[in-house]
Amino acid sequence: MNPKIAQYLDFIVEIDKIKSIFRKSRLFDRSRFENDAEHSWTISVMAALFREFSPFPVNLERVLLMLLLHDVVEVDAGDTFLYSPERGLAEERERKAAERIFGMLDPEHRDLFRGLWEEFEARETPEAKYAAVFDRLEPIYQNYLNEGSTWETHGVTRRMILTANAHIAEGAPEIWDFVRGLTDDAVEKGFLAP
Amino acid sequence: MNPKIAQYLDFIVEIDKIKSIFRKSRLFDRSRFENDAEHSWTISVMAALFREFSPFPVNLERVLLMLLLHDVVEVDAGDTFLYSPERGLAEERERKAAERIFGMLDPEHRDLFRGLWEEFEARETPEAKYAAVFDRLEPIYQNYLNEGSTWETHGVTRRMILTANAHIAEGAPEIWDFVRGLTDDAVEKGFLAP
């Protein structure tokens, strides 16, 4: 048994638990709620596809690694809804989770993966700003296609969406315009409160 | 409505259907079968983590893109079990699916994504050889942890596994040794026929 391979697989088996962490939004086809692994896959493909909408050059490899790893802390911390008043409390839980989960790896990978997670959370580098766009665009578009099911359940308004996601403007200005247009349309069609 | 963003999102919504394409193997925790999007996420993280096991330099961005996209043809073609006698017939179905699905994109992205898919399938470049390792390592390890449930259901033997996955030796020799060891152990423990 190669001990390094065994250690890496232990980590993979551990983070695989995000397949049982369900988000608040349904799949585009409305059939059921989405889990964190599925969400991470979709937004990674989105980031590759929408690259031309980044206003600055980005290292796509780093963007993809951030998006693939950004939710693994939810194995311990669970999913916290973006518009929940408990969002602030989740930070400390997620920090502890990052410590434990990335701590399963050798120091080199622990620091690399944890660094990518922190970079994504801090949203300061071009890669993190660009990556953050897709973490938010996906659920907004899911809810648009679902005629606002999550928004209605949780009392989310257009104003709340535009406030909580305003950073999209920095990571991809044209996508921000698109999101504003979607929310206008959703209000007009009656499935989003202003 | 920005037409380019709308076109890209149409593609994303289309390929999202692989979340309803279930594979023949169960999650590591045995709880249920895995879908293609979840599988693609896991093997992408694996490829990033196991990088030192590649015997040649690889462009990780290309590897990740191949793994993220490799199964989207299954929206049309469905999942074909690796050890099924119908595996050969699936190729034509998948080729047609690639034509239609990547054809939803502008020519530049269509050619880029389809090229990555074909590169992965042909398994000739260093990136494709390395990427292919994880497409196979994941289900083997899932079945090892599940005490051979899929192997038993479908009459898969150790010899069949070593024949169908022999290319792992080229993409990551130490991982191939590991896989051989796993199958030896599975035979010894009685959940894999020799």
Side-chain angles (χ1 to χ4, degrees), chain B residues 88-100:
Chain B
L89 298 173
E91 274 177 35
E92 177 58 17
R93 279 204 307 272
E94 294 186 354
R95 211 190 45 71
K96 276 191 190 151
E99 189 90 23
R100 182 187 76 79

Side-chain angles (χ1 to χ4, degrees), chain A residues 6 22 42 92 108 117 127 135-136 156 179 190:
Chain A
F22 283 86
T42 298
E92 177 58 18
E108 194 190 326
W117 178 76
E127 282 75 13
D135 190 33
R136 301 305 181 78
V156 175
V179 164

Side-chain angles (χ1 to χ4, degrees), chain A residues 1 8-9 16 19 28 32 34-35 38 41-42 48-52 61 65 68 109 178, chain B residues 1 4 8-9 16 19 28 32 34-35 38 41-42 48-52 61 65 68 109 178:
Chain A
M1 204 55 134
Y8 291 176
L9 287 174
D16 213 61
K19 293 174 187 170
F28 294 120
R32 59 169 172 81
E34 182 179 50
N35 69 52
E38 294 172 320
W41 173 75
T42 298
L49 180 57
F50 284 86
R51 203 169 180 179
E52 75 207 67
E61 179 188 312
L65 290 175
L68 289 168
H109 279 100
F178 177 85
Chain B
M1 203 57 135
K4 201 118 202 208
Y8 290 178
L9 286 173
D16 213 61
K19 294 175 187 170
F28 294 121
R32 59 169 172 82
E34 182 178 51
N35 69 52
E38 296 172 319
W41 172 75
T42 299
L49 180 57
F50 283 86
R51 204 169 179 178
E52 74 206 68
E61 179 188 313
L65 290 175
L68 289 168
H109 278 101
F178 177 85

